[in-house]
Amino acid sequence: MDKALHLVFCVIATMLLLRESRQAGEKNGQKMLAASRSGFVLLYRVDSRGPEEGLPTLTVTTILEDPYVMVRGAELEGYCIDLLKALAAMLRFSYRVKVVGDGRYGAVSSRGNWTGMIGEILRQEADIAVAPLTVTSAREEVVSFTTPFLQTGIGILLRKDTVSQEMSFFHFLAPFSKETWTGLLFAYVLTCFCLFLVARLSPCEWNEPKNEENHFTFLNSLWFGAGALALQGVTPRPKAVSVRVVAAVWWLFTIALLAAYIANFTALLSSGSEQLPIETFEDLVKQRKLEFGTLDGSSTFYFFKNSKNPIHQMIYEYMDKRRDHVLVKTYQEAVERVMESNYAFIGESISQDLAAARHCNLIRAPEVIGARGFGIATAQASQWTKKLSIAVLKLRESGDLDYLRNKWWETSCLHKSRDRWSPLQPQALGGLFLTLAIGLALGVIAAVAELLNKSRRAAGHVKKSCCSIFTEEICARLRIKESTRPSQE
């Protein structure tokens, strides 16, 4: 009995000790998180295999940035953490993750020393750096990079209400391009001229040119074509088959054209995708409404510093003169500043795509410059550089990198992409213009055939050739005076 009581007491004591140790661990985790925010280093062990298996253990430095590395409770998660797990499973190594102490990526300080994750690798405080770390020539001189696992560039992040512009006075012309409007005007004039010509040639529309007036004058033909564009019936009404063919083809053309215009104009108003006033870096430099900057000491800042492009030099001079005001310390600070003030953030386009996906009132400008990639940094002459590069290539070939990209860049907005609206080009209406041209040709041919038929009948009555009667009819209908031979005395 005593042994049983002793066993029960030991079991209860063990459970109490385990519970206290778990609570103490949670408290220590919260203290460590608070300490990291105060400037100390935060260590995480997120490997699934311990040192007892005889695997090499790597110290991995990273930086907290959504969605690459994020804190969830007492653990880390994100794109880089999933990538690190996949690499560890392929290359069979154990690892522990530490958040960079100074919260920087890596740049040369005023004293000539490297800061951030690059500095920790140079000081042998970490073996590798798995983070959104841009591969640059300056960093490549002191550390080694693997094959990039993400491709990116430099873009402009804006708030939608700061870049929206008022509609122009002639915004109703936007559904069609300038070429389309020019083609429409040419088609209108050509159709009205053909209507005027066919009405004069057709004997069914104009029986006696010498004794009566033709209703389809050129001005009346223009008015008839304009009335068809407005879907209104106007006079005069066509009588001959040839004139009706031209009128019917023009009505068909105008109905299809109006349908395309209304559809495109409705899409324009509903999408609200009018031209942004800031689409390029040149537009950003020319405007005076928004301030703009980038991360202090980032590769983006040094890209503009070293660039020979005049626009890029103007951007660098603007940021360098207002360094304390426009440069931000963290990416989260940049996003908050864009959302709360008239500020444009210049940074990695892939990170800006994530911000636009998470915050529906943000948008990235279309232009992207300086194509670059994110790589894993290792010490120079490290044995892990080539192994990690091959592993990254295998993950890309298997589609795992694309899966991680879609997983962590999934948008929370109702619209998953901003559809760029564009005016309707003439190529989209090419078949419609061709149909109109064929109809006009058929109308002219029908009018000539009607006139030729009348001339043949008249030639039989007056005992003249059909060609002479046909020539006389054309001259009379087109008001052409026949050339008279000078009389001889």
Side-chain angles (χ1 to χ4, degrees):
M1 187 67 180
D2 294 339
K3 293 181 178 180
L5 291 175
H6 182 70
L7 179 61
V8 171
F9 177 77
C10 291
V11 171
I12 294 174
T14 303
M15 293 177 63
L16 292 175
L17 289 175
L18 290 175
R19 182 178 179 182
E20 291 178 358
S21 62
R22 184 177 62 184
Q23 293 178 351
E26 293 178 354
K27 293 181 179 179
N28 291 333
Q30 295 177 355
K31 291 180 179 179
M32 292 175 66
L33 180 60
S36 78
R37 293 175 179 175
S38 302
F40 297 99
V41 177
L42 177 60
L43 295 178
Y44 287 88
R45 176 176 289 279
V46 293
D47 55 320
S48 57
R49 294 183 297 271
E52 64 275 8
E53 297 184 13
L55 300 177
T57 302
L58 299 181
T59 301
V60 181
T61 179
T62 187
I63 191 169
L64 296 178
E65 182 176 334
D66 187 12
Y68 303 99
V69 180
M70 300 172 290
V71 179
R72 292 293 183 269
E75 298 181 355
L76 293 177
E77 67 176 13
Y79 179 93
C80 290
I81 300 302
D82 289 349
L83 174 63
L84 187 58
K85 291 179 181 179
L87 294 174
M90 293 179 63
L91 301 179
R92 296 188 58 78
F93 64 85
S94 178
Y95 58 88
R96 62 172 185 170
V97 180
K98 59 176 294 188
V99 178
V100 60
D102 57 4
R104 296 179 178 271
Y105 291 88
V108 181
S109 64
S110 57
R111 299 180 180 179
N113 300 324
W114 280 88
T115 62
M117 293 176 283
I118 303 297
E120 290 188 350
I121 293 178
L122 293 177
R123 295 189 298 269
Q124 298 183 354
E125 299 174 4
D127 298 311
I128 61 175
V130 182
L133 191 60
T134 306
V135 180
T136 63
S137 58
R139 293 171 178 172
E140 189 73 43
E141 291 179 355
V142 294
V143 297
S144 297
F145 280 97
T146 64
T147 301
F149 56 86
L150 269 180
Q151 298 294 332
T152 182
I154 301 177
I156 308 172
L157 184 65
L158 308 158
R159 197 171 73 249
K160 288 183 179 179
D161 56 358
T162 60
V163 299
S164 61
Q165 63 177 4
E166 297 180 357
M167 293 184 180
S168 62
F169 190 72
F170 295 98
H171 193 66
F172 68 94
L173 299 176
F176 289 163
S177 64
K178 296 179 180 179
E179 294 80 5
T180 305
W181 285 115
T182 303
L184 175 59
L185 180 61
F186 178 77
Y188 168 69
V189 175
L190 179 62
T191 302
C192 294
F193 176 76
C194 288
L195 192 65
F196 164 74
L197 179 63
V198 169
R200 282 188 169 270
L201 293 178
S202 175
C204 300
E205 192 70 40
W206 196 23
N207 293 323
E208 297 294 336
K210 297 180 180 179
N211 301 327
E212 62 178 315
E213 288 294 333
N214 191 292
H215 297 292
F216 277 96
T217 62
F218 189 67
L219 291 179
N220 287 344
S221 300
L222 291 175
W223 179 246
F224 185 90
L229 277 174
L231 299 180
Q232 299 293 324
V234 293
T235 55
R237 300 182 184 277
K239 300 177 183 179
V241 176
S242 56
V243 182
R244 290 181 179 181
V245 169
V246 175
V249 172
W250 178 244
W251 287 334
L252 176 63
F253 177 83
T254 55
I255 291 174
L257 191 73
L258 289 174
Y261 176 86
I262 293 173
N264 212 28
F265 192 63
T266 304
L268 169 63
L269 295 180
S270 61
S271 64
S273 56
E274 58 270 6
Q275 287 293 105
L276 299 177
I278 299 177
E279 292 191 343
T280 63
F281 286 87
E282 184 176 359
D283 297 335
L284 185 64
V285 172
K286 290 181 179 179
Q287 59 84 36
R288 294 293 180 267
K289 181 180 179 181
L290 299 178
E291 297 178 329
F292 53 89
T294 185
L295 291 175
D296 188 11
S298 63
S299 59
T300 302
F301 180 80
Y302 289 100
F303 170 83
F304 288 101
K305 180 179 180 180
N306 301 324
S307 176
K308 304 301 182 182
N309 189 304
I311 300 298
H312 300 170
Q313 282 295 313
M314 294 174 65
I315 293 176
Y316 167 73
E317 292 174 1
Y318 175 90
M319 294 189 298
D320 188 52
K321 291 179 181 178
R322 301 164 178 82
R323 177 185 294 267
D324 297 334
H325 184 59
V326 299
L327 297 184
V328 294
K329 302 298 182 182
T330 63
Y331 178 77
Q332 288 77 10
E333 179 186 351
V335 174
E336 292 177 359
R337 187 167 178 180
V338 172
M339 296 177 62
E340 296 174 358
S341 62
N342 292 335
Y343 180 78
F345 173 63
I346 303 175
E348 302 292 346
S349 61
I350 192 170
S351 301
Q352 294 175 351
D353 290 338
L354 176 68
R358 298 286 176 84
H359 307 281
C360 301
N361 62 333
L362 299 182
I363 185 175
R364 179 176 62 81
E367 186 181 30
V368 176
I369 62 174
R372 55 184 66 187
F374 292 154
I376 300 174
T378 64
Q380 288 185 336
S382 173
Q383 61 176 344
W384 292 100
T385 306
K386 186 174 181 180
K387 295 180 180 180
L388 291 171
S389 295
I390 296 175
V392 168
L393 291 176
K394 290 182 178 180
L395 291 176
R396 179 178 299 169
E397 294 169 355
S398 62
D400 292 339
L401 292 183
D402 294 333
Y403 168 76
L404 293 180
R405 174 70 164 79
N406 297 330
K407 173 184 176 181
W408 292 103
W409 268 258
E410 184 179 2
T411 178
S412 59
C413 300
L414 294 178
H415 55 281
K416 293 192 176 184
S417 63
R418 180 181 175 90
D419 297 329
R420 297 287 299 170
W421 174 90
S422 60
L424 198 61
Q425 299 296 327
Q427 292 81 2
L429 302 174
L432 192 60
F433 281 96
L434 179 61
T435 303
L436 177 63
I438 295 175
L440 297 180
L442 290 177
V444 174
I445 293 174
V448 173
E450 291 173 353
L451 184 59
L452 187 61
N453 188 28
K454 181 185 177 182
S455 301
R456 187 181 296 109
R457 292 197 305 266
H461 290 91
V462 298
K463 305 299 181 179
K464 291 184 178 181
S465 65
C466 180
C467 292
S468 62
I469 297 297
F470 182 74
T471 304
E472 292 176 1
E473 287 287 343
I474 289 183
C475 292
R477 294 175 185 280
L478 299 181
R479 307 296 189 187
I480 301 176
K481 295 182 179 180
E482 298 184 20
S483 57
T484 58
R485 186 178 299 175
S487 59
Q488 298 179 358
E489 295 183 0

